[in-house]
Amino acid sequence: MPPFLLLETVCIFLFSRVPPSLPLQEVHVSRETIGKISVASKMMWCSAAVDILFLLDGSNSVGKGSFERSKHFAITVCDALDISTERVRVGAFQFSSTPHLEFPLDSFSTQQEVKAKIKGMVFKGGRTETGLALKYLLNRGFPGGRNASVPQILVIVTDGKSQGHVALPAKQLKEKGVTVFAVGVRFPRWEELHALASEPREQHVLLAEQVEDATNGLFSTLSNSAICSSTTPDCRVEAHPCERRTLEMVREFAGNAPCWRGSRRTPAVLAAHCPFYSWKRVFLAHPATCYRTTCPGPCDSQPCQNGGTCVPEGLDGYQCLCPLAFGGEANCAPKLSLECRVDLLFLLDSSAGTTLDGFLRAKAFVKQFVQAMLSEDSRARVGVATYSRELLVAVPVGEYQDVPDLVRSLDGIPFRGGPTLMGSALRQAADRGFGSATRTGQDRPRRVVVLLTESRSEDEVAGPARHARARELLLLGVGSEAVQAELEEITGSPKHVMVYSDPQDLLNQIPELQGKLCSRQRPGCRTQALDLVFMLDTSASVGPENFAQMQSFVRSCALQFEVNPDVTQVGLVVYGSQVQTAFGLDTKPTQAALLRAISQVPYLGGVGSAGTALLHIYDKVMTVQRGARPGVPKAVVVLTGGRGTEDAAVPAQKLRNNGISVLVMGVGPVLSEGLRRLAGPRDSLIHVAAYTDLRYHQDMLIEWLCGEAKRPVNLCKPSPCVNEGSCVLQNGSYRCECRDGWEGPHCENRFLRGDAPEARGSHAGGQQPYPSQQLQRRPGH
């Protein structure tokens, strides 16, 4: 047989005998448990003080493709690390013929920076000198690390085919307190990985080709060793039988073949039969034990009702296969619907304060909400953002119209950890959470932010919340009892907050949230009796254009009340170069007359004094003889830019002491100390950034006025008695005790001593109470 034919036969034999592809590691558990291991790998989180150094094999035996998979494994591990200078530090080496420092442990302080640097590592190639890299670390330590003051973890990712000795330097590193994980890549040599790994070796040997399983195994070991608690209390680490395989070249006897041999003794060539061997690749199995973390699955609580079957989906999701009568609705329950036109942004707390458990609960809430509420013909658009140190819009509003696609996108939103900067997130959500849509008025749907949190904010929230509401956003809060007060401050009303007492109660808030999203309660208290006076700053510091904005705002507010002498009366005072009553309480008995009068209010200019204007209201506007009604709540709304308020605190308090509520709307980027004093001890103050933003605060003002209209009143404050008469409360009504020389129900009539009492009709000194039916508000008012 010609030699070239024999060589061809051998090659064909070798390559035709390569076995089919098999998994290099197999955990012998049920399919459901494998799913739980995968889910748990995405729930891992390590926030301890620890130094982690990746040692990636960049040699030719690994190859460029497997080197990229090694990088992917390292990046996946970083996703579960709270990387900062005080917590987890991460560094990386690449080794082949020589070790190369990619970046030391103290180079980067954020997860994003570390992941970007690992992703940018370039494959170098060369020999596999693992031992040389270990000796480098023995001599120089962890570069940029904190020495032995924190745990040191070395993660070696290699194929285990070193061209030098590794057992001794690995042993010396472990004796110095370094925890070593040996992670196989490509077709690893398991014997060498075991020599590299710390004890117990079964818990420190992993396979990078199966990223989720390897990540789970690494953090399961860290949890067991108390280096960092990376899982939730409900999760547990369990031992499972597994099998690891490696691909080896094996020589087999294939028979005898004719061959020709020469001899030194004779020039003849002799024919003979020679043994023939073939080489083939075979998988060798190594039984082992794998330690993995599993967590309760979404179906463990049997969420599907009415005989439905639960099918797990993704990290914390599930699908219910429902009986025909329930038509595949969420949890096989009667379907709710969201029929109103609304742009809805869910804002999820992804900070360390809420914890991974709380974040997963919030995601489950959003998923069940969209599954229960949205349909193909729904007019609602949904987006999702998370926050910790900064806001991340994970799902832009309206990006997904298909509910299953939207639910799948929620599965990929990771937990981030970090500080709870809720105020910053609210401001960013108001500015860019709804995209760049420019629709306004009737063309724009209602925009709503639903905040889900279980931890208090580490930054100021009141200002950002006002900023969000000024952008015409409805703020709703869903949270635990611990954050109820803060959510009420953010949303501006207890009615906008939904509180759950325990995690199981969270999902019960979905119907309540639906009701709040689609109910548009008209602001105002149209049937409440109220005497209301607006006091406008028309000084030169305001200017004509801003004064026009105030006029428009007052007209809009007036539309929220039923204006007539029996319900709401409105007066208006302006001040600048002088103080002037534009119109009194009893002069505009209809809404049409009121609106015309507001449009005709003059702009005065000059220098204004808010204190003088308040005294003017006290003496000449909020009086019975000028139209104020006894027994009716009274309020003054001051609109000012803040100048000329230094003398206003005492007159404002004089009004309050006389039963008249005073609210200050301060306009401008900064509130002066004079405005804060003017607001009084009840902090009756609304801060408006600019005059053009007044309309965004109308609902807040109307809500305040309606609250004042429902407060109990003192019939003698302000006193209905004139000419220094004394008001006396009596049997649910009042009477006026007049000074000598005055008579009448309010001491309004003067008389001479010679007049006969019958002619005077005097009740001075023994005056009967003013008829109570004339003083009480009409039913429903």
Side-chain angles (χ1 to χ4, degrees):
M1 180 184 293
F4 69 88
L5 292 178
L6 180 62
L7 176 61
E8 181 180 14
T9 304
V10 172
C11 292
I12 293 172
F13 177 76
L14 282 173
F15 288 98
S16 66
R17 296 289 299 276
V18 175
S21 176
L22 290 173
L24 299 181
Q25 177 177 277
E26 186 175 2
V27 183
H28 297 304
V29 292
S30 66
R31 184 175 181 181
E32 180 183 356
T33 302
I34 289 176
K36 288 188 175 183
I37 291 173
S38 175
V39 167
S41 70
K42 298 180 178 68
M43 299 170 61
M44 303 292 191
W45 183 250
C46 182
S47 187
V50 60
D51 288 348
I52 298 179
L53 184 65
F54 289 100
L55 189 60
L56 304 187
D57 187 343
S59 64
N60 289 331
S61 64
V62 167
K64 187 174 182 180
S66 293
F67 181 73
E68 291 299 317
R69 288 191 286 277
S70 301
K71 288 162 52 179
H72 177 58
F73 165 72
I75 290 171
T76 304
V77 171
C78 289
D79 282 332
L81 300 176
D82 185 9
I83 297 175
S84 67
T85 54
E86 295 80 18
R87 294 302 212 179
V88 182
R89 293 187 185 181
V90 175
F93 267 91
Q94 181 182 173
F95 72 93
S96 52
S97 302
T98 59
H100 170 71
L101 177 63
E102 296 286 351
F103 58 94
L105 289 150
D106 57 357
S107 291
F108 305 111
S109 60
T110 68
Q111 193 182 84
Q112 290 76 16
E113 292 173 315
V114 171
K115 289 166 62 178
K117 186 64 177 179
I118 294 175
K119 186 176 182 180
M121 290 173 60
V122 178
F123 175 73
K124 294 188 176 299
R127 301 188 308 277
T128 311
E129 296 289 353
T130 313
L132 190 62
L134 297 177
K135 291 175 184 177
Y136 180 96
L137 295 177
L138 273 172
N139 295 330
R140 303 195 182 185
F142 276 31
R146 289 164 281 190
N147 300 321
S149 61
V150 300
Q152 295 179 308
I153 298 174
L154 179 64
V155 183
I156 307 172
V157 188
T158 177
D159 61 358
K161 299 174 182 177
S162 177
Q163 293 170 278
H165 298 291
V166 300
L168 181 59
K171 178 183 177 183
Q172 292 171 330
L173 266 176
K174 290 178 280 188
E175 288 174 347
K176 293 181 68 174
V178 177
T179 301
V180 179
F181 285 89
V183 184
V185 69
R186 203 163 185 245
F187 301 109
R189 187 175 295 158
W190 296 103
E191 294 85 352
E192 182 170 309
L193 296 183
H194 278 80
L196 291 169
S198 293
E199 296 286 350
R201 290 173 178 170
E202 296 285 7
Q203 297 184 31
H204 291 83
V205 174
L206 305 164
L207 181 65
E209 305 286 343
Q210 298 172 348
V211 175
E212 292 176 352
D213 179 82
T215 302
N216 185 304
L218 187 146
F219 285 106
S220 297
T221 302
L222 293 180
S223 295
N224 271 354
S225 61
I227 291 178
C228 65
S229 178
S230 59
T231 56
T232 60
D234 293 336
C235 301
R236 60 185 183 275
V237 180
E238 295 179 328
H240 304 285
C242 61
E243 186 176 79
R244 292 170 178 151
R245 302 183 183 92
T246 187
L247 186 64
E248 299 285 353
M249 295 293 294
V250 178
R251 191 178 75 160
E252 283 188 346
F253 175 71
N256 294 314
C259 62
W260 292 264
R261 294 182 177 179
S263 173
R264 293 180 180 179
R265 298 178 181 179
T266 174
V269 177
L270 302 177
H273 285 280
C274 299
F276 173 71
Y277 295 92
S278 67
W279 293 86
K280 67 176 181 178
R281 295 178 178 179
V282 296
F283 280 101
L284 300 181
H286 304 270
T289 301
C290 294
Y291 292 82
R292 300 294 182 262
T293 296
T294 57
C295 301
C299 291
D300 291 353
S301 61
Q302 299 179 342
C304 302
Q305 307 169 30
N306 301 304
T309 301
C310 182
V311 180
E313 286 187 350
L315 182 62
D316 58 347
Y318 63 89
Q319 180 181 0
C320 289
L321 303 179
C322 305
L324 292 176
F326 295 91
E329 312 299 357
N331 294 353
C332 305
K335 187 171 179 68
L336 301 169
S337 63
L338 195 63
E339 299 176 352
C340 54
R341 187 165 176 250
V342 61
D343 281 356
L344 176 58
L345 179 67
F346 285 99
L347 188 55
L348 310 188
D349 186 348
S350 182
S351 69
T354 282
T355 74
L356 177 61
D357 275 352
F359 178 70
L360 293 177
R361 280 194 292 271
K363 280 209 321 183
F365 177 88
V366 176
K367 290 171 68 174
Q368 291 210 25
F369 177 88
V370 299
Q371 287 174 327
M373 296 292 178
L374 302 187
S375 60
E376 292 182 359
D377 57 350
S378 175
R379 297 192 299 162
R381 304 191 309 163
V382 175
V384 180
T386 65
Y387 72 91
S388 53
R389 190 182 304 275
E390 60 184 14
L391 182 80
L392 174 65
V393 179
V395 180
V397 173
E399 179 172 346
Y400 292 97
Q401 298 299 322
D402 183 68
V403 174
D405 289 344
L406 175 58
V407 171
R408 281 191 291 270
S409 72
L410 297 176
D411 288 335
I413 302 176
F415 176 70
R416 298 161 60 200
T420 312
L421 302 184
M422 191 186 306
S424 173
L426 284 170
R427 188 174 293 275
Q428 293 179 67
D431 292 340
R432 59 184 179 89
F434 292 86
S436 57
T438 58
R439 293 179 295 172
T440 58
Q442 296 297 321
D443 186 45
R444 183 170 66 188
R446 192 180 202 186
R447 299 186 302 165
V448 183
V449 175
V450 178
L451 174 63
L452 289 100
T453 182
E454 294 182 356
S455 61
R456 294 184 179 90
S457 179
E458 297 175 36
D459 62 348
E460 189 262 339
V461 296
R466 287 195 297 267
H467 174 77
R469 293 196 297 267
R471 296 297 185 271
E472 296 184 300
L473 299 183
L474 171 63
L475 302 182
L476 300 177
V478 181
S480 61
E481 292 176 338
V483 295
Q484 180 176 358
E486 187 169 61
L487 288 177
E488 289 177 358
E489 179 184 13
I490 290 170
T491 62
S493 171
K495 297 177 182 178
H496 293 164
V497 177
M498 289 144 279
V499 177
Y500 52 92
S501 55
D502 60 75
Q504 297 299 325
D505 187 42
L506 173 58
L507 298 180
N508 296 334
Q509 308 301 318
I510 289 178
E512 185 176 354
L513 175 59
Q514 176 213 21
K516 294 182 184 298
L517 288 173
C518 290
S519 65
R520 278 190 175 270
Q521 297 177 350
R522 180 182 176 92
C525 35
R526 302 183 63 83
T527 60
Q528 291 285 346
L530 179 67
D531 285 346
L532 172 62
V533 174
F534 287 95
M535 182 178 120
L536 308 187
D537 181 355
T538 64
S539 64
S541 63
V542 172
E545 292 182 0
N546 291 333
F547 173 68
Q549 294 283 350
M550 284 196 289
Q551 280 182 297
S552 176
F553 175 70
V554 173
R555 281 197 302 270
S556 179
C557 291
L559 291 171
Q560 309 303 321
F561 296 95
E562 183 176 336
V563 179
N564 68 58
D566 294 324
V567 186
T568 301
Q569 293 187 147
V570 179
L572 195 147
V573 171
V574 292
Y575 70 97
S577 57
Q578 58 180 317
V579 178
Q580 180 177 328
T581 301
F583 50 86
L585 286 167
D586 59 352
T587 60
K588 308 300 174 188
T590 65
Q591 194 169 73
L594 175 63
L595 295 176
R596 284 194 300 270
I598 294 172
S599 300
Q600 296 168 2
V601 171
Y603 171 70
L604 301 177
V607 178
S609 167
T612 302
L614 288 169
L615 289 175
H616 175 86
I617 292 173
Y618 182 91
D619 293 329
K620 299 181 179 180
V621 180
M622 280 291 189
T623 64
V624 171
Q625 57 268 42
R626 300 297 175 92
R629 295 165 294 176
V632 172
K634 294 168 176 58
V636 175
V637 177
V638 180
L639 278 79
T640 176
R643 294 191 182 180
T645 58
E646 297 79 7
D647 62 347
V650 173
Q653 191 57 45
K654 186 175 181 181
L655 283 166
R656 292 187 178 105
N657 292 342
N658 209 28
I660 302 169
S661 302
V662 179
L663 175 75
V664 180
M665 297 192 72
V667 185
V670 180
L671 289 174
S672 67
E673 188 59 33
L675 274 179
R676 295 186 186 277
R677 288 197 302 269
L678 176 56
R682 289 178 56 208
D683 196 27
S684 300
L685 174 67
I686 297 176
H687 180 203
V688 184
Y691 287 95
T692 53
D693 292 340
L694 279 168
R695 64 185 186 275
Y696 301 130
H697 298 267
Q698 176 178 304
D699 286 356
M700 192 182 305
L701 170 61
I702 300 301
E703 184 176 350
W704 182 86
L705 288 172
C706 291
E708 296 303 304
K710 296 173 184 176
R711 294 180 65 199
V713 296
N714 185 330
L715 296 176
C716 287
K717 287 188 176 182
S719 175
C721 308
V722 297
N723 299 312
E724 301 181 5
S726 299
C727 181
V728 179
L729 294 173
Q730 181 176 329
N731 299 327
S733 183
Y734 72 90
R735 62 185 176 86
C736 289
E737 292 185 350
C738 305
R739 296 178 61 219
D740 289 343
W742 297 95
E743 64 179 0
H746 298 107
C747 308
E748 70 275 19
N749 300 323
R750 191 177 184 89
F751 71 93
L752 300 176
R753 291 190 180 275
D755 293 344
E758 303 86 84
R760 294 195 311 267
S762 171
H763 299 286
Q767 183 175 333
Q768 297 298 314
Y770 194 55
S772 60
Q773 65 269 26
Q774 297 181 24
L775 300 177
Q776 301 303 314
R777 282 177 259 178
R778 299 186 179 184
H781 290 174

